[in-house]
Amino acid sequence: MRRKNLFALIITLAAMMVLSSCTAFTGVRSDGHSDLHHAEDYDSLLKLMRAMKTNNVTYNKNFDFALGAEETVQEAASAADSGENGRSFTGTNTQTAGVDEADSVKTDGRFLYVMAGEKLRIIDAEQPSSMKLISELSWNEYIESENGVRGETPMEFFLDAENNQLIVLTQSFANNYEVYDKPMIDIEETSEQIEQDTSAEDAASETARDIWIGPMISERTSVNTIIYDISDKANPVEFKRFAQEGSYNSARKIDRAVYVVSQKYDYGIYSRIEEDGLTAEQALPSISKTGNSEDYELLPVDAISILPQGNIENQTIISAIDTENQTSDTEALAIIGNSGIIYSSLNNIYIAAVRYSNDEQYKAYTDIYRFKLDAASITADGSGTVNGWLLNQFSMDEHDGYLRVAVSEGASWTQSEDSSSNSLYILDGSLNVVGSILDLAAGEQIKSVRFMGTRGWIVTFRTTDPLFGIDLSDPNSPQLLGELKIPGYSSYLHPISDNSMLGLGRDVEVDGENAYDRGLKISLFDISNLNDPVEKQSIILGGIGSWSEILYQHKSLMADPANNLYGFPALLADYNNQEFEKINGTWFQGLLLINADDNQISVKGGISQIEGLGDWTGQTPVAEENEQFLYGNKSVYRGIRIGENIFTISFDCIQANNMNNLSLVGKLNLTE
């Protein structure tokens, strides 16, 4: 026993020496106020990365973008705006005023800007009955040549109507064929020869020696930020372009600065890092200030941070782009060893990376790194750690200099009641925990979170949906005051006033310790009394097989508080839980419209672009031939209001309906 304990002590000390040795390299230093380290030159960075190869810390590779939430209901209601023609309109459903979010549909009150497929179209919607396509931008998603395959796909965009700009974010890739000195043989031609040969087995054996297949080698995956001047809507002109390596995650726009986050994931770097020939260009992130593929250059060494305990396969790149100055350089920085949820307030960006211990408990921790924003510049500004893992962007919130974080721990799918729990942490300006509520709802996991100033609302779930009300007025001593248990759960919480909140989620069927998703559930919560939240009303739509993007994407909500109107794309169906056999089948796909105020909620109706699938009540029989369109280009994925009309958008069509009686006003086909 003593020998085992001594061995464990030696291993522990050795691990500590490996981690602490990160600062022992010549040219490597800590930034002084976080766990991030920097190097004086690229060679020192590579040495540090080689040392990190011995780390077995597992970091979560998935990440999302969260935005700041010094939110009041009045700020959230500012999604409705007015254009130059005086008509009001709804905008992207964002989390806080002053921080815009990229999306696939935008409007300025007259023109609609729609991204569908590989095109971004500008449409004049001044006359909804006769909409006109003004211009379109397009990209090639797949181009094959003798050297390899390349492509570029539009992801999302910003609209700066005041300054006549579109800021488009695209994902591009370049894969080259491996080049061999020995000529490659046409495989189809060779196969025909083999089939014709009377002795196919012998022929295949001989021919195989001459077949050299060149594998695809990834040259670069990158995110491009392209700024267009749209003063002339019929002729958008490129104003500025920037590119950064990695896969697109998301972006935010604050005033004239756009912040773009990408993740470069290098699966094979652990095997290649030992090679003496691995260069900085091969291992470290690069950017192109012009956006041209020929102009890529390494990030400056002082712009690269490294997490000593991290996984070097993960590299997060953040850029800050000045959309006003055409010639100004774009600032960018990178973190090696980390990827996670990205949260941005008006003044800071946070990266919350989940890591798991390598013992039998497999315990989760979230390391939070803060970066200060100053116009179009970014600097490292602190770090902290909490137990557990975050659900999504709404799990973090900055308010009055404090960061509030809601986390889950453990596994709720086990039968033990204490298998999982949830906590709320409050971190001060130095990212030290100063207040907390621990072990909330044992055996359950967080399904949604919403912070509203000094109040916080958390939904957990296993077989029922507890809604917890938390008093955050004293950051050092948050108090759990209210609890409401109801069937089902809310995946997204949306305030409609200081006193009321919508819950959008699932109805469930409970079978013992298990629960199965059924239809969509809309709840109206009275939150006027933090000690006693009340579900005033709920509506169940559809059954098993029903689905909506609002369950995971808040931007799919059309929020129009000025008219007490809310809409989201949905598919309504009902199938047997065991065999998934049709009960009523699928009867609706389109934009569901809900009237909601402090007193009640009701279904206003539904708008569909698919013939025969427009009756949200399910009373109209659906022809089987129409069901083929459910998941195709006719499926509505966004809704937006301009003036007295609601526009629904699918890949095939833009359709205008009167907002009062939902009658058809006009259509514009996008595929002609």
Side-chain angles (χ1 to χ4, degrees):
M1 181 66 69
R2 289 182 178 178
R3 294 187 65 182
K4 288 184 178 180
N5 291 339
L6 179 60
F7 179 74
L9 178 60
I10 292 173
I11 293 298
T12 302
L13 291 174
M16 294 174 62
M17 290 174 64
V18 168
L19 297 180
S20 64
S21 66
C22 292
T23 56
F25 287 111
T26 302
V28 177
R29 57 180 172 79
S30 170
D31 64 11
H33 47 253
S34 74
D35 292 334
L36 296 175
H37 291 167
H38 302 270
E40 296 178 357
D41 53 57
Y42 295 118
D43 286 340
S44 299
L45 268 178
L46 292 176
K47 289 178 181 178
L48 185 53
M49 292 172 69
R50 290 189 180 98
M52 289 170 61
K53 184 177 183 296
T54 60
N55 290 343
N56 292 316
V57 177
T58 302
Y59 270 89
N60 187 10
K61 298 180 179 65
N62 297 319
F63 64 107
D64 196 1
F65 199 112
L67 59 115
E70 287 199 22
E71 177 180 327
T72 65
V73 173
Q74 288 73 22
E75 288 175 329
S78 66
D81 207 341
S82 295
E84 60 182 20
N85 56 11
R87 293 191 299 179
S88 65
F89 58 89
T90 59
T92 300
N93 179 34
T94 62
Q95 199 175 7
T96 202
V99 182
D100 194 15
E101 302 188 34
D103 202 2
S104 56
V105 177
K106 301 273 188 179
T107 186
D108 57 13
R110 173 177 175 176
F111 294 95
L112 276 168
Y113 305 82
V114 176
M115 183 175 284
E118 58 186 33
K119 294 182 178 181
L120 196 162
R121 298 175 174 91
I122 301 178
I123 294 130
D124 189 346
E126 179 76 15
Q127 300 296 329
S129 60
S130 56
M131 291 177 279
K132 298 177 181 178
L133 176 64
I134 303 301
S135 62
E136 64 182 23
L137 299 166
S138 61
W139 292 264
N140 292 314
E141 295 181 328
Y142 188 88
I143 304 173
E144 189 170 5
S145 68
E146 60 181 12
N147 297 321
V149 177
R150 298 172 183 270
E152 187 174 10
T153 303
M155 305 301 291
E156 293 181 313
F157 68 94
F158 293 101
L159 169 66
D160 187 342
E162 181 180 354
N163 296 291
N164 283 310
Q165 285 186 336
L166 279 177
I167 300 100
V168 184
L169 301 146
T170 71
Q171 179 74 63
S172 64
F173 72 94
N175 295 335
N176 294 332
Y177 294 121
E178 183 66 82
V179 178
Y180 290 94
D181 293 334
K182 191 167 186 177
M184 294 178 64
I185 289 178
D186 189 304
I187 296 177
E188 292 185 3
E189 182 179 325
T190 304
S191 299
E192 292 177 2
Q193 293 175 356
I194 293 174
E195 291 176 1
Q196 294 172 2
D197 199 292
T198 55
S199 179
E201 185 175 347
D202 293 340
S205 176
E206 290 297 320
T207 309
R209 300 191 188 111
D210 295 326
I211 297 177
W212 291 67
I213 299 176
M216 285 285 205
I217 303 298
S218 177
E219 177 186 349
R220 179 173 281 115
T221 300
S222 60
V223 176
N224 310 290
T225 303
I226 313 167
I227 304 172
Y228 292 94
D229 182 340
I230 54 170
S231 300
D232 180 1
K233 302 294 187 293
N235 185 33
V237 177
E238 185 173 314
F239 173 77
K240 189 175 184 178
R241 180 186 286 256
F242 176 81
Q244 62 197 72
E245 287 192 312
S247 298
Y248 175 68
N249 174 247
S250 194
R252 294 295 181 268
K253 182 176 180 293
I254 302 174
D255 295 327
R256 299 300 298 274
V258 168
Y259 302 93
V260 181
V261 180
S262 63
Q263 180 194 17
K264 180 182 178 183
Y265 181 68
D266 192 340
Y267 180 77
I269 196 170
Y270 273 121
S271 61
R272 303 194 325 271
I273 196 68
E274 294 294 336
E275 301 174 7
D276 294 335
L278 186 67
T279 65
E281 286 77 12
Q282 294 171 318
L284 301 173
S286 297
I287 61 171
S288 173
K289 294 180 180 179
T290 65
N292 296 324
S293 58
E294 299 83 9
D295 296 334
Y296 272 91
E297 59 187 51
L298 280 174
L299 275 174
V301 68
D302 59 358
I304 302 175
S305 304
I306 195 160
L307 180 61
Q309 300 182 53
N311 179 349
I312 61 175
E313 293 174 328
N314 293 316
Q315 300 181 10
T316 298
I317 301 101
I318 310 172
S319 63
I321 303 165
D322 183 352
T323 65
E324 184 175 14
N325 192 328
Q326 187 174 22
T327 60
S328 63
D329 285 340
T330 294
E331 286 195 16
L333 57 80
I335 303 172
I336 296 175
N338 169 289
S339 65
I341 292 177
I342 310 297
Y343 164 93
S344 176
S345 69
L346 286 170
N347 302 308
N348 298 293
I349 280 181
Y350 298 83
I351 296 180
V354 182
R355 60 179 167 87
Y356 297 89
S357 63
N358 291 309
D359 53 24
E360 295 179 356
Q361 294 182 341
Y362 202 59
K363 186 175 176 62
Y365 302 89
T366 296
D367 298 321
I368 302 172
Y369 301 91
R370 183 177 60 205
F371 298 87
K372 185 178 181 180
L373 307 179
D374 184 9
S377 66
I378 316 174
T379 53
D381 193 43
S383 67
T385 298
V386 295
N387 293 336
W389 48 272
L390 282 65
L391 173 67
N392 58 26
Q393 66 180 63
F394 291 90
S395 297
M396 286 196 291
D397 172 84
E398 183 186 283
H399 181 75
D400 287 345
Y402 292 89
L403 181 69
R404 293 91 70 91
V405 183
V407 300
S408 294
E409 299 180 67
S412 63
W413 55 85
T414 65
Q415 296 301 313
S416 173
E417 287 190 1
D418 60 354
S419 59
S420 64
S421 64
N422 310 278
S423 300
L424 175 106
Y425 295 98
I426 300 180
L427 288 70
D428 63 12
S430 299
L431 293 184
N432 296 316
V433 175
V434 295
S436 63
I437 297 176
L438 304 177
D439 300 325
L440 186 67
E444 301 182 354
Q445 286 187 348
I446 290 175
K447 285 292 186 179
S448 58
V449 182
R450 195 76 190 209
F451 293 101
M452 298 171 60
T454 59
R455 295 180 293 169
W457 302 96
I458 297 177
V459 170
T460 62
F461 179 77
R462 182 169 180 178
T463 56
T464 59
D465 170 5
L467 172 67
F468 295 99
I470 300 172
D471 182 359
L472 303 168
S473 57
D474 182 358
N476 297 290
S477 181
Q479 299 295 316
L480 175 61
L481 297 183
E483 179 179 352
L484 170 66
K485 287 191 175 183
I486 53 176
Y489 61 87
S490 298
S491 298
Y492 173 64
L493 299 172
H494 188 86
I496 60 176
S497 74
D498 286 331
N499 298 318
S500 300
M501 180 170 63
L502 287 177
L504 303 170
R506 285 284 195 184
D507 179 34
V508 300
E509 176 185 344
V510 178
D511 181 10
E513 293 296 319
N514 299 312
Y516 303 95
D517 288 344
R518 292 190 57 83
L520 304 177
K521 181 180 180 181
I522 306 170
S523 297
L524 175 64
F525 295 109
D526 181 345
I527 55 172
S528 57
N529 184 352
L530 193 57
N531 296 276
D532 185 26
V534 176
E535 184 184 43
K536 294 187 70 171
Q537 188 182 349
S538 67
I539 298 174
I540 307 299
L541 296 167
I544 294 174
S546 299
W547 180 86
S548 174
E549 193 178 356
I550 194 61
L551 298 174
Y552 69 91
Q553 176 55 274
H554 66 282
K555 289 186 288 188
S556 66
L557 180 71
M558 185 193 79
D560 190 4
N563 292 294
N564 297 324
L565 183 63
Y566 301 85
F568 55 90
L571 183 149
L572 300 182
D574 195 11
Y575 289 84
N576 181 281
N577 186 34
Q578 302 300 322
E579 304 296 334
F580 209 70
E581 295 176 349
K582 183 184 294 186
I583 297 177
N584 295 318
T586 303
W587 61 82
F588 176 82
Q589 197 293 320
L591 189 75
L592 277 175
L593 294 168
I594 308 298
N595 287 125
D597 57 27
D598 286 343
N599 300 311
Q600 64 179 355
I601 53 175
S602 62
V603 180
K604 181 179 179 65
I607 300 174
S608 179
Q609 294 186 7
I610 304 174
E611 184 178 355
L613 286 173
D615 182 6
W616 67 271
T617 65
Q619 297 178 0
T620 303
V622 177
E624 289 189 5
E625 60 266 24
N626 290 329
E627 294 189 21
Q628 63 181 311
F629 300 111
L630 284 173
Y631 305 99
N633 290 342
K634 293 182 181 294
S635 294
V636 171
Y637 65 90
R638 283 292 188 275
I640 198 166
R641 181 187 62 79
I642 304 177
E644 296 296 313
N645 297 286
I646 295 172
F647 295 80
T648 54
I649 295 95
S650 70
F651 275 37
D652 276 0
C653 176
I654 297 176
Q655 179 174 304
N657 292 70
N658 182 273
M659 68 174 290
N660 297 310
N661 57 27
L662 305 187
S663 61
L664 179 65
V665 176
K667 284 186 176 183
L668 176 66
N669 291 323
L670 300 177
T671 55
E672 295 179 351

